[in-house]
Amino acid sequence: MNTTGPAEEPGYTNSYLGDQQAGQLMRLRTLERAFDPLSRTVFGLLPLPERPTILDLGAGAGSFASWLSTRYSDATVIATDIDPRFLTDIPGIRVITHNAATDDFPAASLDVVHVRALLCHLPEREDILTRLATWVRPGGWLVIEDVSLQPSLGTANPLFRKVAQAGVTLLEQSIGSDMLWADTLPDRLRERGLSNIGYRTLEGRIGDDSPADAFWATTTAHAGPALLKRGLLSQNDLDAMVKLRASPTFTEAALTFISAWGQVPERG
């Protein structure tokens, strides 16, 4: 007999990163402040048609979907999320409740599909990526942005490395995340037949009061109860990491924001 309740089922939605968790909107806002500049730069490189149809898949708290609707005033901007509670009051966008793992869009119906900080957390990420490419019209663009925690796993600081590894283990065990998956994004787009592959990265540091620092700190604090419950860290570890991050002599690369994009070839 399975006695696991709905709230205990593994996966992103029911995890400590789910939108129903207290403080999740604040955490998403820190992610937006850290990641939005790179996303805007990438879209500035894409030649888009007049009146494009743009999908922001897993739009989170909606800052980038809102920017898209302002930047491309003649565009149709579709923002989706499995839990769209933070999207409902944003003007200029069409909001759809959508599960990226199971729900589709019509083939060749979109000029741009943009996905940010989502696929690394979905065990079905390879199949989803293949499906995403089919939604894009010939000549359109698939833009995948995600986070790699490789820098924090390679740190020489033993406490920071311990906390980082515990965070990665928690994500793997409770959600099925792969926090190194984004490192090979250009190759994954190329394998799916996309052309004109582009790639940009942005280093995120901690201990420097940057947007990335706020995102890392907020996410780690958000994960604290789950880390303690699973025995991955002690309260002493968490307290010591807070003190280390606040030290005026400490700053380290913690993560990499990665953007990769490719164009669906024209037919014929």
Side-chain angles (χ1 to χ4, degrees):
M1 179 179 177
N2 184 1
T3 59
T4 302
E8 297 172 323
E9 291 292 333
Y12 187 92
T13 303
N14 292 323
S15 74
Y16 71 96
L17 296 180
D19 287 346
Q20 78 283 358
Q21 301 293 338
Q24 173 66 347
L25 180 58
M26 181 178 71
R27 192 189 74 85
L28 290 174
R29 292 298 185 211
T30 66
L31 184 152
E32 291 172 341
R33 286 191 288 272
F35 223 142
D36 276 4
L38 180 59
S39 300
R40 293 174 183 177
T41 296
V42 168
F43 266 75
L45 301 174
L46 303 180
L48 300 187
E50 292 185 10
R51 299 192 175 103
T53 300
I54 304 172
L55 171 63
D56 193 16
L57 185 72
S63 73
F64 194 63
S66 178
W67 179 84
L68 287 169
S69 70
T70 301
R71 171 64 178 80
Y72 304 99
S73 58
D74 292 331
T76 297
V77 177
I78 305 168
T80 75
D81 207 284
I82 196 170
D83 183 346
R85 69 180 66 195
F86 303 134
L87 302 173
T88 55
D89 294 328
I90 299 174
I93 66 173
R94 177 185 172 197
V95 178
I96 299 176
T97 301
H98 182 275
N99 185 337
T102 58
D103 299 336
D104 272 314
F105 278 84
S109 61
L110 303 160
D111 294 297
V112 186
V113 173
H114 172 253
V115 192
R116 186 171 76 179
L118 175 66
L119 295 186
C120 69
H121 295 304
L122 301 182
E124 311 91 344
R125 61 188 67 86
E126 295 293 342
D127 290 340
I128 295 171
L129 186 58
T130 299
R131 287 168 43 231
L132 295 181
T134 70
W135 302 349
V136 182
R137 295 183 180 117
W141 297 90
L142 178 58
V143 183
I144 308 296
E145 303 188 299
D146 232 317
V147 178
S148 169
L149 296 184
Q150 180 62 54
S152 60
L153 296 176
T155 178
N157 185 289
L159 174 61
F160 183 28
R161 186 169 61 250
K162 180 180 181 180
V163 172
Q165 184 58 66
V168 169
T169 300
L170 174 63
L171 287 166
E172 290 174 347
Q173 292 180 353
S174 62
I175 300 175
S177 305
D178 182 347
M179 299 313 299
L180 303 180
W181 180 79
D183 291 326
T184 56
L185 270 174
D187 289 339
R188 296 179 188 279
L189 296 181
R190 199 170 288 111
E191 289 166 0
R192 286 159 175 84
L194 274 65
S195 61
N196 297 320
I197 304 295
Y199 181 70
R200 284 208 174 190
T201 64
L202 179 66
E203 180 185 76
R205 301 185 68 83
I206 64 169
D208 63 352
D209 292 322
S210 64
D213 173 61
F215 170 60
W216 187 93
T218 303
T219 302
T220 302
H222 215 58
L227 290 165
L228 296 174
K229 183 177 180 179
R230 288 176 179 259
L232 295 170
L233 290 176
S234 68
Q235 189 61 55
N236 286 340
D237 293 327
L238 293 173
D239 293 343
M241 188 65 227
V242 170
K243 291 180 180 178
L244 177 64
R245 175 176 161 265
S247 170
T249 61
F250 174 79
T251 181
E252 287 247 16
L255 47 88
T256 306
F257 297 111
I258 298 173
S259 293
W261 60 94
Q263 189 173 31
V264 174
E266 298 278 2
R267 294 185 181 127

